[in-house]
């Protein structure tokens, strides 16, 4: 809905990225061996926060510099949390993009495993666990939404694509 059809000859972009925080699993293993549950939980929480913050920074760089469609953007943390910026960055597995299998195409196109070391498990979980991947849409009217119940006819149609 937010990408210009090829037939329009309009210049448009679809971005994607994957970021991760490496080293947490090794540290967590050490904390587990020491029976230090507090440090284990804090390490995992910090790794998750770091990777989410970096994903937010990457998205901001896309908006303000790389694609530059919002070069004068000056948002505070509250505005960022309220998604007051132009564009969206839906992530596979979340309500607006529930299909995890889309990661397969993303990993292939970006050569994620080869270039970053971020892997996918058999069930398509990202490894390391503190990882974020997303598509990026710049369309001014793009917004997050939740995909409702998917019916069998929709699954059949989607699987043909």
């Amino acid at each position: 809905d937010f990408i210009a059809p090829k037939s329009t000859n309009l210049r448009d972009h679809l971005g994607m990225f994957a970021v991760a925080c490496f080293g947490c699993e090794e540290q967590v293993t050490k904390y587990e061996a020491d029976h230090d549950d507090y440090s284990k939980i804090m390490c995992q929480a910090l790794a998750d926060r770091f990777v989410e913050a970096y994903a937010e920074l990457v998205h901001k760089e896309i908006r303000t510099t790389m694609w530059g469609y919002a070069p004068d953007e000056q948002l505070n943390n509250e505005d960022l949390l309220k998604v007051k910026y132009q564009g969206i960055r839906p992530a596979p597995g979340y309500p607006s993009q529930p299909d995890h299998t889309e990661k397969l195409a993303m990993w292939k196109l970006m050569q994620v495993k080869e270039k970053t070391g971020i892997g996918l498990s058999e069930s398509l979980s990202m490894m390391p666990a503190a990882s974020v991947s997303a598509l990026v849409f710049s369309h001014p009217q793009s917004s997050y939404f939740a995909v409702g119940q998917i019916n069998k006819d929709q699954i059949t149609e989607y699987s043909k694509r």
Side-chain angles (χ1 to χ4, degrees):
D1 292 343
F2 305 121
I3 300 294
K6 190 174 183 177
S7 62
T8 65
N9 292 323
L10 293 172
R11 184 174 178 200
D12 204 350
H13 304 281
L14 168 64
M16 57 184 84
F17 65 85
V19 296
C21 181
F22 288 90
C24 179
E25 279 88 358
E26 294 83 3
Q27 195 63 40
V28 164
T29 300
K30 180 183 169 199
Y31 290 138
E32 285 175 340
D34 294 341
H35 305 289
D36 186 352
D37 291 339
Y38 176 79
S39 295
K40 171 190 166 186
I41 292 166
M42 290 304 294
C43 183
Q44 290 168 323
L46 282 171
D48 288 343
R49 294 307 94 208
F50 283 142
V51 77
E52 288 291 344
Y54 192 60
E56 192 62 55
L57 177 64
V58 168
H59 190 205
K60 179 183 179 183
E61 287 297 311
I62 291 170
R63 294 189 310 268
T64 61
T65 306
M66 297 169 134
W67 292 354
Y69 59 84
D72 299 323
E73 178 182 290
Q74 296 291 323
L75 301 175
N76 60 34
N77 286 339
E78 186 178 327
D79 289 339
L80 286 172
L81 291 172
K82 290 180 180 178
V83 191
K84 292 199 173 183
Y85 48 77
Q86 179 182 325
I88 57 173
R89 61 174 179 98
Y94 283 84
S96 61
Q97 189 185 356
D99 186 0
H100 281 276
T101 63
E102 292 176 2
K103 288 180 202 166
L104 295 171
M106 293 170 68
W107 257 240
K108 184 177 178 182
L109 286 168
M110 293 189 292
Q111 301 174 320
V112 174
K113 178 67 175 168
E114 299 81 3
K115 291 184 176 184
T116 68
I118 304 169
L120 293 174
S121 72
E122 198 172 283
S123 62
L124 301 179
S125 294
M126 292 178 285
M127 301 178 301
S131 299
V132 171
S133 64
L135 296 175
V136 180
F137 298 88
S138 64
H139 193 284
Q141 294 173 330
S142 61
S143 61
Y144 292 103
F145 57 89
V147 175
Q149 183 69 31
I150 299 173
N151 298 321
K152 187 164 178 67
D153 63 322
Q154 292 170 303
I155 293 170
T156 302
E157 175 61 30
Y158 186 69
S159 68
K160 292 177 187 176
R161 297 181 196 179

